[in-house]
């Protein structure tokens, strides 16, 4: 029997909702939250997965804790609070850890402060450099949830929160913690949008993964957090795989070797074969290079049997939060209340790229007739920081 690290509860906020129920409904029906905005690219409207719902105020918190990133974190954490409080009561607050992923932290607050400094001279009184430090979400969560176990952030671009979830499982496995709040968050900011624009990776339309017409990504923002323990729940993290191929700063290894290693490790750790996977959530950024690499590797390992989808057209690519958000999508699809086993659809124009290895993409409304027993989620980041997670129903 392999180890299971149960995902007892979920808190989530993203472009398609601010609760598990809303996100689940819109996800499984294929609704898109990506819309054009100039908020992060003045004078150039770009599609983005913005969270437009109201977020918790941080006015009562110290300046160094105030950021949109931490507002997203708190919106997700509030959904977990009763379960975290109960875990702290059972195990002790010192046995509840925090491991989350991010890439932006409070960069947006630094942008506004620098803009004010350029325009008027002094830095704003409501700004502190600590707002953009990468450990901010973990420190903030530990305070907000009143827990005292280890608290840290993993930052490896687009695989940050997938790797954070693997790290959380290792803490439990090592006996360092009995419960871990794990996942990730990233907030939209002009710095991120400009960075991807400089690499010519942004699409001017909703992203179109696996299509012959694909031409880049949409950026999004989100927070997704789980409470992980050894206590049984419907879905557990059964396996994970990680690799660092270091092929290129921003381009994936075209051979897919690092991605292949990560997926095989995850399957081996879970104690299952490729044929046991019922659904694959692709990284599927809709960039030319990523989709070529990933489709080849997934076809090699799974053929055209397994249903696959890329969910970024619905939410945007949420970068450091993407691994946890797409883990949440797998978790939602695997719950008992998804009686028909409806799968997250692959939202695109349906025009397959003949240069890509063929995959079985999920159509809107497609279902298995039961919740998936095992799901795989891929996350591939700059610098070849690859991660794959396998989830299983107990």
């Amino acid at each position: 029997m392999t180890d299971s690290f149960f995902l007892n509860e979920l808190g989530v906020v993203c472009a398609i909702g601010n609760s598990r129920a809303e996100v689940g409904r819109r996800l499984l029906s294929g609704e898109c939250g990506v819309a054009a905005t100039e908020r992060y690219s003045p004078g150039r409207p770009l599609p983005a997965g913005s969270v437009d719902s109201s977020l918790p105020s941080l006015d009562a918190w110290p300046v160094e804790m105030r950021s949109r990133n931490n507002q997203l974190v708190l919106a997700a954490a509030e959904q977990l609070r009763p379960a975290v409080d109960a875990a702290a009561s059972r195990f002790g607050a010192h046995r509840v850890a925090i491991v989350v992923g991010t890439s932006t932290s409070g960069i947006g607050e630094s942008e506004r402060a620098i803009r004010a400094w350029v325009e008027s001279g002094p830095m704003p009184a409501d700004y502190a450099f600590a707002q953009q430090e990468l450990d901010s979400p973990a420190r903030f969560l530990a305070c907000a949830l009143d827990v005292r176990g280890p608290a840290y952030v993993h930052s490896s671009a687009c695989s940050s929160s997938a790797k954070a979830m693997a790290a959380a499982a290792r803490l439990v496995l090592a006996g360092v913690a009995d419960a871990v709040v794990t996942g990730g968050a990233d907030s939209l900011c002009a710095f991120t949008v400009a960075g991807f624009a400089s690499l010519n990776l942004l699409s001017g339309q909703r992203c179109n993964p696996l299509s012959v017409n694909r031409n880049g990504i949409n950026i999004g923002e989100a927070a997704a957090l789980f409470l992980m323990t050894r206590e049984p729940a419907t879905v557990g993290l059964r396996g994970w795989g990680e690799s660092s191929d270091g092929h290129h700063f921003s381009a994936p290894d075209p051979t897919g070797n690092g991605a292949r290693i990560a997926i095989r490790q995850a399957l081996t750790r879970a104690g299952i074969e490729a044929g046991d996977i019922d659904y694959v959530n692709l990284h599927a950024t809709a960039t030319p290079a990523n989709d070529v690499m990933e489709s080849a590797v997934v076809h090699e390992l799974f053929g055209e049997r397994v249903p696959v989808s890329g969910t970024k057209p619905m939410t945007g690519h949420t970068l450091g939060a993407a691994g946890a958000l797409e883990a949440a999508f797998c978790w939602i699809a695997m719950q008992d209340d998804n009686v028909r086993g409806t799968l997250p659809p692959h939202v695109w124009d349906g025009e397959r790229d003949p240069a890509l290895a063929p995959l079985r993409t999920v159509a809107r409304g497609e279902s298995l007739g039961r919740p998936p027993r095992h799901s795989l989620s891929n996350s591939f980041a700059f610098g070849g920081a690859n991660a794959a997670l396998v989830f299983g129903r107990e």
Side-chain angles (χ1 to χ4, degrees):
M1 178 67 179
T2 58
D3 285 305
S4 281
F5 304 92
F6 293 101
L7 302 174
N8 302 90
E9 196 55 75
L10 167 68
V12 61
V13 57
C14 63
I16 57 171
N18 60 4
S19 69
R20 168 194 164 185
E22 183 182 18
V23 169
R25 176 182 60 78
R26 297 187 69 188
L27 168 74
L28 298 181
S29 64
E31 293 184 38
C32 293
V34 171
T37 178
E38 293 185 40
R39 192 180 310 163
Y40 307 102
S41 53
R44 182 191 179 192
L46 288 170
S50 303
V51 173
D52 294 326
S53 57
S54 60
L55 296 174
S57 171
L58 300 184
D59 289 348
W61 284 81
V63 169
E64 60 268 22
M65 294 289 194
R66 297 180 207 161
S67 67
R68 181 171 179 81
N69 213 55
N70 283 348
Q71 286 182 286
L72 291 168
V73 165
L74 187 57
E78 290 290 358
Q79 300 169 44
L80 296 179
R81 187 179 296 277
V84 175
D85 288 347
S89 178
R90 288 193 304 278
F91 303 126
H94 66 292
R95 298 289 298 172
V96 180
I98 308 285
V99 187
V100 291
T102 194
S103 67
T104 59
S105 199
I107 289 175
E109 282 62 41
S110 290
E111 288 175 357
R112 286 187 285 277
I114 292 169
R115 192 176 301 117
W117 174 70
V118 169
E119 292 173 355
S120 60
M123 296 291 269
D126 62 349
Y127 172 72
F129 181 80
Q131 287 169 301
Q132 79 163 52
E133 291 177 349
L134 285 175
D135 70 336
S136 178
R139 289 188 292 112
F140 174 73
L141 269 175
C143 293
L145 295 173
D146 194 24
V147 296
R148 297 188 294 279
Y152 62 94
V153 162
H154 187 100
S155 188
S156 58
C158 307
S159 61
S160 297
S161 52
K163 286 176 171 283
M165 292 180 67
R170 288 192 288 268
L171 281 185
V172 176
L173 183 64
V176 175
D178 294 305
V180 188
V181 177
T182 185
D186 252 349
S187 47
L188 279 163
C189 60
F191 176 86
T192 302
V193 173
F196 279 91
S198 73
L199 296 171
N200 295 315
L201 293 177
L202 293 183
S203 174
Q205 299 80 41
R206 189 175 68 199
C207 69
N208 202 3
L210 306 185
S211 169
V212 69
N213 301 311
R214 71 190 186 281
N215 63 356
I217 69 174
N218 310 141
I219 305 296
E221 61 183 356
L225 299 173
F226 295 94
L227 178 65
M228 178 187 289
T229 74
R230 292 275 202 176
E231 299 173 314
T234 303
V235 177
L237 175 61
R238 292 286 301 277
W240 61 88
E242 299 175 84
S243 67
S244 297
D245 58 59
H247 169 75
H248 185 271
F249 179 80
S250 59
D253 178 355
T255 71
N257 191 49
R260 187 180 298 106
I261 288 169
I263 294 170
R264 284 178 169 163
Q265 280 183 2
L267 293 170
T268 299
R269 186 170 271 113
I272 63 173
E273 303 293 331
D276 296 315
I277 294 291
D278 288 323
Y279 166 68
V280 175
N281 183 283
L282 302 171
H283 189 57
T285 61
T287 59
N290 176 90
D291 288 9
V292 169
M293 179 278 289
E294 187 175 18
S295 62
V297 171
V298 171
H299 179 81
E300 174 191 333
L301 296 176
F302 300 97
E304 293 181 66
R305 177 198 64 81
V306 65
V308 306
S309 65
T311 49
K312 291 176 174 68
M314 289 185 261
T315 64
H317 187 351
T318 61
L319 307 180
L325 181 62
E326 291 163 28
F329 293 166
C330 292
W331 187 93
I332 287 168
M334 296 173 75
Q335 294 301 305
D336 291 336
D337 56 10
N338 185 25
V339 178
R340 296 182 58 247
T342 303
L343 297 174
H346 188 77
V347 179
W348 63 325
D349 63 8
E351 298 188 26
R352 293 181 179 273
D353 184 346
L356 300 184
L359 299 176
R360 178 184 162 191
T361 52
V362 178
R364 275 191 173 93
E366 183 175 343
S367 63
L368 296 173
R370 55 165 175 78
R373 295 192 183 97
H374 294 97
S375 296
L376 170 76
S377 183
N378 292 332
S379 297
F380 308 130
F382 282 179
N386 308 298
L389 304 177
V390 169
F391 306 97
R393 274 176 58 89
E394 299 302 321

